[in-house]
């Protein structure tokens, strides 16, 4: 049966999760191919709680109910929707499963703007309502509600869709509708910026939340010495640091990211270059630039480093401790290491994870770990907790199915895990943004 969604071409994303439907309510694949999914979900980007206006349920049509449910799901309010599940669906789909399904099906879709359209039709004796939500960059998410005759929800399906430009469709997102969240995600702007000094000036981008005067900033450091500013990885060209930069900006936090020297100067970088030349010097320059940038709150500068870059954060922080308000360690190992070149004492680098408890025990730290990270196993995350036991201003977060780049893991257990197309998951982005907005070092 061919259906028209009125919202443009459906874009199917990879492999979806399980769809929960009551017995006897069999969903057919819509025109365009693959089946959708009931997916993992967190609050939508920029989602404030949807308020219940007190409408009596019996006074609402199925379309109106569906719009209300869709707004609640987009805002991360799952319990009110589950209350209206049929008995069969309630047994199969818990609040946690609903949350997980919503999030998983919406990876990479950010900046919720409102409800785009609603369509109602009948199928095999069930009333079906499709609600399409508009997000940034003409991306959308469709929620299909299937209703029993008593108007309880018998099934839920989630689909990613591409939407026409709002100017072409003639429709604008109803920002003031009671069905939408009260606070949309912030827009952002990106500015090209050069980091460091000649002969190794590095191309970078400063991502700023629109309408925020003097925003806090996170300086993003990728793990590979030859990586570009987006942390591009895998055959799919995944860009986790670009995802992080945009996600932070949508939540009110600026970021600076830039190419590593090994990416921009692969031929001219000396073979004698060590960790100071390939990581620390440029990061120190970046901190100083943000401290003097007119768009940035100089009292809220953070470093967010991933993998091997995070291993060396103690050495990085020690030199610029007075200008930093905190550090985020993503997939980091608690390293004690010294790099010294004979006859060149000026280039000696000492790095000891105990710096954060012996010498600087008050700098706020956020330590994140993907539980499917084969490069930095969970044992290192546990070692951090033992090493820094009793230290204040330290927050730990781990994520069940995320890999070294905090993308959903393909469960390969090797570098091919990064070849599957994906995006940095929302929970770590949301945690970093919330922490940057709240963390303050003691004075």
């Amino acid at each position: 049966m061919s259906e028209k969604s009125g919202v443009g071409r459906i874009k199917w994303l990879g492999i979806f999760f399980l769809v929960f439907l009551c017995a006897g309510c069999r969903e057919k694949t819509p025109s365009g191919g693959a089946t959708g999914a009931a997916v993992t979900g967190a609050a939508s980007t920029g989602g404030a709680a949807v308020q219940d206006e007190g409408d009596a349920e019996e006074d609402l049509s199925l379309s109106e109910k569906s719009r209300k449910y869709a707004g609640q799901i987009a805002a991360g309010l799952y319990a009110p929707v589950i209350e209206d599940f049929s008995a069969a669906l309630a047994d199969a789909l818990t609040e946690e499963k609903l949350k997980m399904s919503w999030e998983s099906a919406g990876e990479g879709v950010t900046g919720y703007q409102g409800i785009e359209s609603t369509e109602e039709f009948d199928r095999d004796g069930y009333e079906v309502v499709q609600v399409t939500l508009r997000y940034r960059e003409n991306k959308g998410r469709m929620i299909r509600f299937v209703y029993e005759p008593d108007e309880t929800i018998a099934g839920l399906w989630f689909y990613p869709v591409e939407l026409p430009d709002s100017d072409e469709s003639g429709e604008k997102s109803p920002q003031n509708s009671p069905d939408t969240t009260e606070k949309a995600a912030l827009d952002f702007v990106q500015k090209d910026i050069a980091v460091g000094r000649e002969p190794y000036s590095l191309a970078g981008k400063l991502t700023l939340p629109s309408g925020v005067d003097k925003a806090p900033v996170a300086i993003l450091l990728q793990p590979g010495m030859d990586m570009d500013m987006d942390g591009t990885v895998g055959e799919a060209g995944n860009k986790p640091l670009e995802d992080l930069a945009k996600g932070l900006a949508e939540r009110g936090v600026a970021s600076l990211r830039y190419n590593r020297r090994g990416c921009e100067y692969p031929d001219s970088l000396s073979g004698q270059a060590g960790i100071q030349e390939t990581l620390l010097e440029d990061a120190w320059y970046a901190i100083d630039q943000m401290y003097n940038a007119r768009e940035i709150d100089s009292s809220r500068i953070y470093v967010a480093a991933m993998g091997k870059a995070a291993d060396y954060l103690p050495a990085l922080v020690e030199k610029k401790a007075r200008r930093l308000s905190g550090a985020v360690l993503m997939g980091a190992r608690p390293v004690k290491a010294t790099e010294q070149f004979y006859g060149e004492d000026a280039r000696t680098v000492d790095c000891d994870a105990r710096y954060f408890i012996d010498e600087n025990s008050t700098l706020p730290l956020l330590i994140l770990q993907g539980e499917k990270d084969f490069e930095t196993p969970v044992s290192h995350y546990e070692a951090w907790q033992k090493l820094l036991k009793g230290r204040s201003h330290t927050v730990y977060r781990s994520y069940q199915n995320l890999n070294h780049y905090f993308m959903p893991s393909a469960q390969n257990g090797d570098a091919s895990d990064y070849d599957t197309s994906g995006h940095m998951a929302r929970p770590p982005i949301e945690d970093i943004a919330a922490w940057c907005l709240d963390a303050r070092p003691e004075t």
Side-chain angles (χ1 to χ4, degrees):
M1 178 178 179
S2 176
E3 299 169 10
K4 296 181 180 179
S5 66
V7 295
R9 180 172 60 86
I10 292 179
K11 177 185 179 184
W12 307 109
L13 301 181
I15 300 173
F16 289 127
F17 291 79
L18 199 57
V19 176
F20 300 94
L21 288 173
C22 69
C25 180
R26 184 67 58 189
E27 181 63 28
K28 299 178 181 178
T29 305
S31 58
T35 307
V39 281
T40 339
S44 71
T45 329
V50 173
Q51 302 297 317
D52 187 343
E53 303 260 322
D55 294 319
E57 287 295 324
E58 58 270 18
D59 294 334
L60 297 179
S61 68
L62 286 181
S63 289
E64 290 169 332
K65 284 185 179 182
S66 300
R67 289 171 65 90
K68 182 177 180 180
Y69 295 144
Q72 289 169 331
I73 290 172
L77 303 177
Y78 309 106
V81 183
I82 290 175
E83 288 177 0
D84 290 337
F85 279 2
S86 68
L89 186 60
D91 287 342
L93 187 56
T94 65
E95 182 174 350
E96 181 61 23
K97 287 180 179 178
L98 177 59
K99 177 179 184 292
M100 288 178 59
S101 295
W102 175 249
E103 285 180 352
S104 298
E107 289 297 338
V109 182
T110 61
Y112 177 56
Q113 296 179 344
I115 292 178
E116 173 80 1
S117 64
T118 306
E119 180 184 11
E120 185 173 353
F121 55 90
D122 177 82
R123 170 172 288 171
D124 300 329
Y126 291 91
E127 289 296 320
V128 180
V129 180
Q130 292 181 165
V131 180
T132 301
L133 310 178
R134 177 175 282 275
Y135 290 77
R136 290 179 55 87
E137 298 176 349
N138 296 325
K139 293 181 179 180
R141 301 171 76 178
M142 180 194 297
I143 306 177
R144 177 174 296 173
F145 298 92
V146 181
Y147 289 96
E148 295 278 11
D150 63 0
E151 298 192 356
T152 56
I153 301 172
L156 268 181
W157 292 66
F158 303 147
Y159 303 104
V161 297
E162 287 183 354
L163 302 178
D165 185 85
S166 58
D167 291 334
E168 295 176 5
S169 68
E171 294 186 1
K172 297 292 182 180
S173 300
Q175 298 283 352
N176 298 321
S177 167
D179 294 308
T180 65
T181 56
E182 292 186 345
K183 181 181 178 181
L186 293 172
D187 288 329
F188 60 85
V189 295
Q190 295 201 90
K191 297 182 177 181
D192 292 332
I193 186 172
V195 174
R197 299 176 183 173
E198 297 295 345
Y200 295 113
S201 178
L202 305 173
K205 286 190 182 296
L206 179 61
T207 307
L208 298 163
S210 298
V212 177
D213 185 35
K214 299 289 184 180
V217 67
I219 298 169
L220 311 182
L221 302 178
Q222 61 277 63
M225 64 175 290
D226 59 351
M227 272 187 158
D228 66 12
M229 69 181 76
D230 297 327
T232 303
V233 64
E235 292 182 358
N238 297 308
K239 299 180 180 296
L241 290 193
E242 180 183 35
D243 296 337
L244 178 56
K246 292 179 179 180
L248 292 178
E250 289 173 342
R251 293 162 175 82
V253 178
S255 66
L256 172 64
R257 65 192 196 277
Y258 53 89
N259 296 332
R260 291 282 293 269
R261 287 191 192 183
C263 170
E264 196 147 334
Y265 301 98
D267 298 325
S268 60
L269 188 63
S270 169
Q272 300 299 314
I275 196 67
Q276 180 161 322
E277 291 84 359
T278 60
L279 173 67
L280 299 180
E281 286 182 356
D282 299 320
W284 292 332
Y285 290 144
I287 292 167
D288 290 342
Q289 284 180 257
M290 293 299 95
Y291 186 80
N292 294 300
R294 59 180 179 81
E295 305 97 332
I296 299 303
D297 181 350
S298 61
S299 69
R300 291 192 292 174
I301 298 175
Y302 305 92
V303 175
M306 186 180 290
K308 292 180 180 179
D311 294 350
Y312 285 91
L313 266 185
L316 190 157
V317 168
E318 185 172 15
K319 185 167 182 176
K320 296 293 179 180
R322 291 187 177 183
R323 291 193 169 181
L324 289 173
S325 296
V328 183
L329 297 91
M330 307 173 69
R333 300 171 300 172
V335 166
K336 180 178 181 180
T338 298
E339 180 184 85
Q340 183 172 11
F341 293 86
Y342 287 108
E344 298 188 45
D345 292 341
R347 293 172 60 199
T348 299
V349 174
D350 287 309
C351 180
D352 190 343
R354 287 199 62 87
Y355 164 80
F356 288 127
I357 193 167
D358 290 343
E359 300 181 49
N360 192 340
S361 62
T362 60
L363 183 76
L365 297 178
L366 176 61
I367 301 177
L368 308 182
Q369 176 70 40
E371 295 181 13
K372 296 297 183 181
D373 184 345
F374 65 87
E375 295 192 51
T376 306
V378 174
S379 58
H380 292 293
Y381 176 70
E382 295 168 344
W384 276 110
Q385 296 178 65
K386 292 178 182 178
L387 178 69
L388 303 181
K389 185 177 181 180
R391 186 187 191 276
S392 59
H393 311 292
T394 308
V395 177
Y396 300 90
R397 294 285 185 271
S398 67
Y399 308 93
Q400 186 173 9
N401 193 43
L402 302 187
N403 62 27
H404 192 61
Y405 292 91
F406 294 83
M407 301 183 300
S409 173
Q411 311 290 339
N412 295 335
D414 56 32
S416 66
D417 195 62
Y418 311 139
D419 294 338
T420 302
S421 180
H423 295 271
M424 182 178 284
R426 291 178 186 169
I429 296 175
E430 291 171 349
D431 287 342
I432 295 171
W435 182 85
C436 287
L437 291 169
D438 183 62
R440 287 281 185 172
E442 288 188 346
T443 56

